[in-house]
Amino acid sequence: MTGDEILTGEGVALQVRAASVVARAGAWFLDALATAAVTIGLIVLASWALGDTLDWAEAQALMTALVFLVLILIPATVENLTHGRSLGKLAFGIQILRDDGGPVRFRHCFGRALIGFFELWMTSGGVAFLATLMNDRGKRLGDLLSGTYAASIRGAKSTLLPLYMPQELIGWIRFTDLRPLPEGLALRTRQFLQRAGQFPPPARQRLGLRLAAQVEDYVAPSPPPGTHPERFLAAVLFERRLREQAAADARAPRLNAQLAGVEALPFHIPDPEV
Amino acid sequence: MDIDVFTKLHQGQWDRLQRLSAQRKLTGREADDLVHLYRQGATHLSYLRSTAPDPALVSQLSLTLAKARGRIASPHDSSWRDLVRFVTLTLPAALYKVRWWSVVTAAACLLFALGVGLFAGANPDTLDRFVDPATQAAYANQAFADYYTEYAHASFTALVWTNNAQIAGLCVATGITGFIPVYVLLQNSFQIGVIAAVMHRQGADAIFYQLILPHGLLELSAVFVAGAAGLRLLWAWLVPGARTRARSLAEEGKTTLIVVVALTVTLLVSGLLEGFVTPSALPWWLKIAVGALACGAFWFVTFGVGRWAVDKGADPGVTAEEAKSVIAVAG
C-alpha cells in the first residue's frame, strides 16, 4: 500500500490523495484569520461584560481559559461536528480522515488541536511545516499523534476527450469482427489518441504504428491499405464503444430484475419506508 | 468494458450514492440503498482499478466511496455509557500504561530537588547569589504565606488550576521534542529545592511544609506524570518496536492525550486543595492528611484501578471502533 491508498473493509483500495503542504498552509492561514476575529470578539465581549470587577488571579485564570477555548476547544469542536472540516479546509478542499479512512472522533480532533497549539501557534507553523515535509502523507505532529491525515477531497477532473469516428472508415468497420481488446491496451490507445498532439512527430508515428499493430491482431478483416494508424485506432475504439453500449443496454433489464430480486425482503415482508 | 460505457451505466448509482451520503436524515429504505450502493461502488472501483485504471475516474469514485463510508460509519452520538466507560476504564488504563515512566520521573525530579535543596542549604553563599538575603527574609516571613491567602479562595483555585493545567498540557504537547518537558520538570524541581533551602535558612521549615504538603503531594504527582507522558511520546517515536513508527506514535499519542484529561481533573482537585484547604484554619496535620489521602487516591487509581482496567481489556491507544480497522502487519 502506498501513502495515497486506504484499504476498506471490503478489501478495495481507495485512492485518496493527501493534501499538499501549500493547501494546508493556506487553510490554516484562513482559519487563523477566523480565530483572530473570534478572539477579538470574545475579548471585547468579556471586557464589556466584566469591566474592572476581576482581581488579578481571576483575570489571569480567565486569560488562560480564553486561550484554551479559542485555540484548542473551539477548533476541536468545529472539526468534530463537521467530521474533519473547518473554514479553511472547506475553502481548500481538505478533510481530516483517520489513517484507516474512517471519520474522526472528538479524541482525534482534540489531540490535533492540543498539539496544534504548540506546533502551529507557538512556532507560527514552523514545526508543523517541517513535520509535514518529512512523511509521505504530509502529516503534522498532531496528525501523527492522533492517527489522522488531511485528505484532498477535490477529485482530479476527467480529461478524457470524446471519441470520434473517421468518416472514411465507417463502411469498413461496420462489417468488421472485433475481438475483445485487452483492457490495458484499450486504455493505452485511448490515452495515446488524447495526447497524440503533445508527442514529437517521429515518436508520435512510432507509437501510433506500434499500437495499431497490436490492435490489428484483434480486428478482422484488416483496415483498407494506406489507412492512417491514428484514424484506424479511433475507428476501432469508437465502434467498440458502440457495440459494448448495445450489449450493456441489452443486459440491463435482466440485471436490474435480478438486483431487485436480491434486494427485496423475503416472504413478502413489506419494506417500511421510514 | 469501455470506460465511457461503464461510466454511463453506473453514473446514476454513483450520483445517488453521493446524494445519499450528503443527506442529513435517511429513511430506512434510503439507508439500505446507501449501503447497497456503497458495496456496488466498491465493486465498480475494484473492477476499474484492475482493468482500466483511468486516474480521474478512480480518484472521483474513491472520493465518493470515502464519503459514503464516512456517512455509513458516521459518529454515533456519545452516550452516557461511553462516558462512564471512559472514566472508569480508559482513564485509569492510560495512567497505568505510563506508570513506570511516572515513577522514575517523579523519583528523578525529587532527587534533583533534594540535591538542589541540600546544596543550597549547605552553601549559603551560592544561595545568596541566586536570591538576595533581604528578599529571602521577606519571603520567609510574609510572602510565601501570603501567596495562599492573597486572593479569594475560588479565584485562587481557578488561577492555580489553569496555570498547572497549562504546564501539564505543555509538557505533553511538546513531549516529542524531549527537551521542553525536561526543562519544565527540572525548573520546577529547582525552584522547590531553592525555596526549601531559603525557608530552612530562615528557620521557617514548619511553615514551608505545612503550606506545601497539603496540595503539593497531588500537584507534583500530576506534573511529574505529565512530564513522564510527554517523554514517553518521544520514546514511542524513537523506539517503535514491532509497530510502524507512525502507528506507534498514533497509539501512544492517544494514550498520552487521555493522560492529559486525567491530569486536568487531578489538577482541579489539587487546585481546590490549594485554594480552600491549605489556607484554611484546620490543624496542620489534618490538612496534610487530606493531601496525602488525595495523593494516595491518585496513585491507587494509577496502579490499582488501572491494572484492573487493563485486565478487563481497556486499551487507551485504540478504541473498539478503530480496532476493527487495524491492518495486521508482520513484525
Side-chain angles (χ1 to χ4, degrees):
Chain A
M1 237 177 39
T2 63
D4 277 358
E5 290 182 358
I6 302 168
L7 204 60
T8 68
E10 290 74 27
V12 176
L14 303 185
Q15 183 130 36
V16 182
R17 274 185 308 122
S20 73
V21 179
V22 181
R24 296 199 66 176
W28 181 62
F29 187 70
L30 264 186
D31 285 343
L33 287 181
T35 308
V38 170
T39 314
I40 292 172
L42 280 178
I43 289 177
V44 168
L45 192 72
S47 51
W48 174 74
L50 297 167
D52 285 337
T53 57
L54 298 177
D55 63 30
W56 182 83
E58 278 170 338
Q60 194 68 23
L62 194 69
M63 223 32 222
T64 312
L66 188 70
V67 168
F68 175 75
L69 180 75
V70 170
L71 298 187
I72 298 176
L73 199 60
I74 291 183
T77 310
V78 166
E79 206 167 279
N80 183 37
L81 292 181
T82 56
H83 305 321
R85 311 299 297 271
S86 70
L87 193 63
K89 296 189 189 86
L90 217 58
F92 282 83
I94 298 174
Q95 184 171 15
I96 305 297
L97 296 175
R98 285 205 316 252
D99 277 343
D100 54 46
V104 284
R105 298 272 192 267
F106 188 73
R107 300 174 60 163
H108 308 105
C109 302
F110 184 70
R112 282 172 39 78
L114 183 70
I115 312 290
F117 176 69
F118 155 68
E119 62 173 342
L120 294 173
W121 295 100
M122 278 171 61
T123 65
S124 322
V127 171
F129 183 73
L130 285 180
T132 308
L133 292 180
M134 282 180 207
N135 60 75
D136 60 347
R137 271 184 167 179
K139 295 165 165 223
R140 61 178 176 87
L141 288 181
D143 289 317
L144 284 170
L145 296 188
S146 315
T148 56
Y149 81 108
S152 167
I153 54 166
R154 278 198 198 133
K157 282 272 172 296
S158 179
T159 49
L160 286 182
L161 295 175
L163 296 169
Y164 64 95
M165 170 61 87
Q167 291 303 316
E168 73 275 15
L169 293 176
I170 291 183
W172 161 73
I173 196 98
R174 185 156 306 152
F175 301 103
T176 298
D177 180 40
L178 289 180
R179 283 198 290 139
L181 291 182
E183 295 290 350
L185 181 59
L187 188 66
R188 239 172 325 142
T189 309
R190 176 118 196 223
Q191 283 167 344
F192 165 71
L193 285 183
Q194 169 135 348
R195 295 177 201 151
Q198 299 165 17
F199 289 110
R204 176 176 179 173
Q205 191 176 7
R206 203 170 53 243
L207 264 174
L209 280 174
R210 193 193 303 158
L211 281 171
Q214 284 174 5
V215 171
E216 209 180 341
D217 289 346
Y218 300 90
V219 177
S222 297
T227 306
H228 191 275
E230 283 173 26
R231 296 186 78 76
F232 161 67
L233 292 174
V236 170
L237 285 188
F238 191 88
E239 181 66 18
R240 169 173 178 266
R241 191 182 68 189
L242 276 186
R243 294 186 190 180
E244 284 190 349
Q245 184 68 58
D249 287 346
R251 241 190 351 255
R254 191 166 38 99
L255 261 181
N256 288 339
Q258 276 178 351
L259 265 183
V262 169
E263 285 167 11
L265 292 174
F267 307 120
H268 303 289
I269 298 172
D271 201 354
E273 271 299 333
V274 186
Chain B
M1 193 186 280
D2 184 81
I3 271 194
D4 288 337
V5 178
F6 192 75
T7 311
K8 200 171 152 198
L9 203 58
H10 300 297
Q11 191 68 54
Q13 288 170 301
W14 301 336
D15 288 346
R16 180 162 161 74
L17 179 59
Q18 206 152 25
R19 265 203 313 282
L20 286 178
S21 13
Q23 201 167 313
R24 236 186 140 60
K25 267 199 167 354
L26 295 171
T27 64
R29 163 120 0 127
E30 283 171 337
D32 279 354
D33 269 0
L34 178 64
V35 176
H36 280 306
L37 289 171
Y38 168 70
R39 287 190 184 148
Q40 282 174 11
T43 312
H44 296 156
L45 180 62
S46 67
Y47 175 80
L48 264 184
R49 290 189 68 129
S50 50
T51 58
D54 174 50
L57 195 54
V58 165
S59 140
Q60 280 167 8
L61 190 51
S62 289
L63 285 175
T64 307
L65 288 175
K67 273 182 205 153
R69 185 165 175 239
R71 182 69 176 93
I72 292 170
S74 83
H76 62 97
D77 296 325
S78 307
S79 64
W80 185 241
R81 227 182 59 199
D82 288 341
L83 187 67
V84 170
R85 195 185 148 76
F86 180 76
V87 171
T88 57
L89 286 175
T90 318
L91 274 188
L95 286 174
Y96 182 74
K97 284 233 159 161
V98 301
R99 65 195 186 285
W100 293 125
W101 282 84
S102 311
V103 169
V104 171
T105 310
C109 288
L110 288 176
L111 275 179
F112 181 71
L114 188 67
V116 169
L118 289 179
F119 180 80
N123 300 283
D125 300 342
T126 319
L127 184 59
D128 288 348
R129 225 172 295 150
F130 273 113
V131 191
D132 76 84
T135 316
Q136 288 185 26
Y139 196 74
N141 292 331
Q142 204 56 47
F144 190 69
D146 274 355
Y147 174 66
Y148 293 100
T149 48
E150 193 179 347
Y151 299 109
H153 294 318
S155 53
F156 185 60
T157 300
L159 172 68
V160 167
W161 179 38
T162 50
N163 186 43
N164 286 336
Q166 196 184 353
I167 292 177
L170 188 71
C171 272
V172 169
T174 62
I176 201 158
T177 63
F179 66 87
I180 296 183
V182 169
Y183 174 76
V184 170
L185 288 175
L186 289 186
Q187 195 198 26
N188 251 307
S189 312
F190 184 80
Q191 281 173 354
I192 295 170
V194 168
I195 294 174
V198 167
M199 299 301 275
H200 176 71
R201 278 203 46 218
Q202 301 295 327
D205 286 306
I207 298 178
F208 175 69
Y209 290 110
Q210 282 173 29
L211 285 180
I212 204 151
L213 282 184
H215 62 271
L217 289 170
L218 186 60
E219 185 178 302
L220 287 177
S221 297
V223 171
F224 294 150
V225 172
L231 289 176
R232 188 163 165 277
L233 219 48
L234 177 67
W235 187 253
W237 181 43
L238 294 178
V239 188
R243 301 171 287 190
T244 63
R245 225 173 270 280
R247 197 169 134 198
S248 158
L249 259 186
E251 288 182 12
E252 302 312 331
K254 272 174 267 179
T255 309
T256 309
L257 284 172
I258 297 174
V259 171
V260 178
V261 175
L263 291 182
T264 308
V265 178
T266 311
L267 286 168
L268 174 63
V269 175
S270 91
L272 286 172
L273 288 177
E274 194 166 351
F276 289 92
V277 175
T278 303
S280 72
L282 294 172
W284 62 267
W285 55 267
L286 188 60
K287 293 192 219 171
I288 295 182
V290 170
L293 193 69
C295 177
F298 174 75
W299 288 104
F300 173 73
V301 168
T302 303
F303 277 88
V305 184
R307 173 83 189 266
W308 170 78
V310 168
D311 283 347
K312 282 197 75 173
D315 187 344
V318 185
T319 59
E321 181 196 351
E322 283 165 322
K324 288 177 202 148
S325 333
V326 170
I327 299 170
V329 282

